[in-house]
Amino acid sequence: MLIPCGILALGGYAYLVLSVEVGEEKKEDEKKNLIRTNVEELHITDFDIVIETNGIIQPVNEVAFSAEVSGRVTSISPQFEVGSFFSHGDLLIEIDDSDYRTALAIVEARKLGAEAALELAKQDYERLEQLLKSNNVSEAEVMQAAATRKQASATLETAIADVEQAERDLERTKIYAPFDGRLRAKSIGLGQSISAGTPLGIAFSVELAEVRLPVSGKELKFLDLPERENDPALVIRLRDGINEESEHEWSAKIVRTEGTLDANSLELFAIARIKDPFGLKSGKAPLRIGQPIKAEIPGDSLSNVIAIPRASVRQLDQIYLVNSEELTISSRTIDAVWSDENHVIVRDLSIADGNLLSTTSLVYAPEGAKVEIIPDIELAASESSQSDNATVTN
């Protein structure tokens, strides 16, 4: 009797032990099968579109200096050196003017002689005209005097024109700055003999600069760009395109578009102008000619949309939503209204305000699978650990 009772007791004990272990293992397996994910609440809101593009700073006004008269270069201003700034009206180059002063003196003397000759011709004509009334001279003599007067008048006009030309040639021996600018290239030296048309240098204005900004066809519908002369300019922001860590920013205004799409890219180029690009008046960091920049163009404001972090979008158009009550996951195909580097913007009535978005990169997420939401504290600790590891590695 004792043996059967012992067997029954041992069997009951074994059952209790095994049943507890199996139940615990089952619970542990279920926990292991949970999909762990971070989540973010989605909210219906308004989103201001900002279009990012890039370009290269160009001068608005660039001129090539060339000599208008021949001669020897006698003086070059220190401002006529590559990279130097100059102001409107500054004397930049002087050419030997001795010959031109002599030429001006000669034609001025001719002018004085022509004026005297015309005065005599007028007096002679008037005298003969009076004598013709009393028949003391012939009509032919009067006509001859009139022709002499006209000839003297023409000679004077020629002399006046010669004087004006000589004065202009003398003025052209001095070359002045046509605007506030900066010299890009210099091609002459002191003492060099030059002729009319000889290149002297290249300069550009520092009052204004421009940048051509490409805008894709799909972005144009979100922008209100100035197309006509009286259309209001669009204020934009520029940032350094070389040093991404630079905190310098500049303001510019889109004043027009080129009006035609690029044949290859089908992009429209918007032209933005920057006042005082070198910061001569404002004291800001300079925007140099040829410098690459990044531009941010404000566009339309989209209402009643949801901004989804781009990193949470899978296969270009798929996201995962988490049911906050049942803690299950489901996929959703989205149709983007707008997208940029950081966000995909959708207007989807099936996504309610406050829905949870899975933000973790999931290798496998079957429809309706149970999930475990990773607490924010655990996420912050993980990110801190990754940052520390990166610091140690570096």
Side-chain angles (χ1 to χ4, degrees), residues 225-232 255:
L225 298 175
E227 294 286 349
R228 300 174 183 84
E229 183 178 354
N230 296 325
D231 288 346
V255 294

mmCIF file of all heavy atoms in Angstrom, residues 225-232 255:
data_model
loop_
_atom_site.group_PDB
_atom_site.id
_atom_site.type_symbol
_atom_site.label_atom_id
_atom_site.label_comp_id
_atom_site.label_asym_id
_atom_site.label_seq_id
_atom_site.Cartn_x
_atom_site.Cartn_y
_atom_site.Cartn_z
ATOM 1 N N LEU A 225 6.452 82.384 -57.880
ATOM 2 C CA LEU A 225 7.657 83.080 -58.321
ATOM 3 C C LEU A 225 7.286 84.308 -59.152
ATOM 4 O O LEU A 225 6.299 84.296 -59.898
ATOM 5 C CB LEU A 225 8.534 82.145 -59.160
ATOM 6 C CG LEU A 225 9.071 80.902 -58.443
ATOM 7 C CD1 LEU A 225 9.817 80.008 -59.428
ATOM 8 C CD2 LEU A 225 9.981 81.295 -57.292
ATOM 9 N N PRO A 226 8.070 85.382 -59.052
ATOM 10 C CA PRO A 226 7.798 86.572 -59.871
ATOM 11 C C PRO A 226 8.100 86.304 -61.348
ATOM 12 O O PRO A 226 9.197 85.872 -61.688
ATOM 13 C CB PRO A 226 8.753 87.624 -59.289
ATOM 14 C CG PRO A 226 9.843 86.841 -58.635
ATOM 15 C CD PRO A 226 9.219 85.567 -58.146
ATOM 16 N N GLU A 227 7.117 86.529 -62.183
ATOM 17 C CA GLU A 227 7.283 86.299 -63.618
ATOM 18 C C GLU A 227 7.294 87.608 -64.403
ATOM 19 O O GLU A 227 7.943 87.719 -65.430
ATOM 20 C CB GLU A 227 6.157 85.399 -64.140
ATOM 21 C CG GLU A 227 6.167 83.985 -63.594
ATOM 22 C CD GLU A 227 7.277 83.139 -64.199
ATOM 23 O OE1 GLU A 227 7.903 83.586 -65.176
ATOM 24 O OE2 GLU A 227 7.519 82.029 -63.695
ATOM 25 N N ARG A 228 6.545 88.605 -63.896
ATOM 26 C CA ARG A 228 6.449 89.896 -64.587
ATOM 27 C C ARG A 228 7.238 90.951 -63.820
ATOM 28 O O ARG A 228 7.603 90.768 -62.671
ATOM 29 C CB ARG A 228 4.986 90.316 -64.722
ATOM 30 C CG ARG A 228 4.142 89.317 -65.515
ATOM 31 C CD ARG A 228 2.664 89.712 -65.504
ATOM 32 N NE ARG A 228 1.855 88.736 -66.199
ATOM 33 C CZ ARG A 228 1.398 87.619 -65.654
ATOM 34 N NH1 ARG A 228 1.690 87.335 -64.388
ATOM 35 N NH2 ARG A 228 0.651 86.776 -66.355
ATOM 36 N N GLU A 229 7.443 92.050 -64.485
ATOM 37 C CA GLU A 229 8.295 93.109 -63.926
ATOM 38 C C GLU A 229 7.759 93.642 -62.605
ATOM 39 O O GLU A 229 8.522 93.946 -61.694
ATOM 40 C CB GLU A 229 8.414 94.249 -64.944
ATOM 41 C CG GLU A 229 9.346 95.373 -64.505
ATOM 42 C CD GLU A 229 9.473 96.456 -65.552
ATOM 43 O OE1 GLU A 229 8.919 96.277 -66.653
ATOM 44 O OE2 GLU A 229 10.115 97.480 -65.265
ATOM 45 N N ASN A 230 6.444 93.744 -62.472
ATOM 46 C CA ASN A 230 5.851 94.336 -61.272
ATOM 47 C C ASN A 230 5.485 93.306 -60.212
ATOM 48 O O ASN A 230 4.931 93.669 -59.169
ATOM 49 C CB ASN A 230 4.607 95.152 -61.654
ATOM 50 C CG ASN A 230 4.945 96.349 -62.539
ATOM 51 O OD1 ASN A 230 5.998 96.960 -62.383
ATOM 52 N ND2 ASN A 230 4.069 96.660 -63.470
ATOM 53 N N ASP A 231 5.763 92.028 -60.447
ATOM 54 C CA ASP A 231 5.467 91.008 -59.450
ATOM 55 C C ASP A 231 6.358 91.202 -58.219
ATOM 56 O O ASP A 231 7.538 91.552 -58.350
ATOM 57 C CB ASP A 231 5.692 89.611 -60.024
ATOM 58 C CG ASP A 231 4.623 89.224 -61.031
ATOM 59 O OD1 ASP A 231 3.592 89.920 -61.078
ATOM 60 O OD2 ASP A 231 4.816 88.243 -61.772
ATOM 61 N N PRO A 232 5.813 90.983 -57.020
ATOM 62 C CA PRO A 232 6.635 91.162 -55.810
ATOM 63 C C PRO A 232 7.763 90.137 -55.744
ATOM 64 O O PRO A 232 7.594 88.981 -56.146
ATOM 65 C CB PRO A 232 5.630 90.965 -54.666
ATOM 66 C CG PRO A 232 4.519 90.159 -55.263
ATOM 67 C CD PRO A 232 4.437 90.572 -56.706
ATOM 68 N N VAL A 255 13.938 87.844 -58.018
ATOM 69 C CA VAL A 255 13.361 88.989 -58.720
ATOM 70 C C VAL A 255 12.763 88.612 -60.066
ATOM 71 O O VAL A 255 11.961 89.365 -60.621
ATOM 72 C CB VAL A 255 14.426 90.091 -58.911
ATOM 73 C CG1 VAL A 255 14.850 90.665 -57.567
ATOM 74 C CG2 VAL A 255 15.649 89.551 -59.672
#
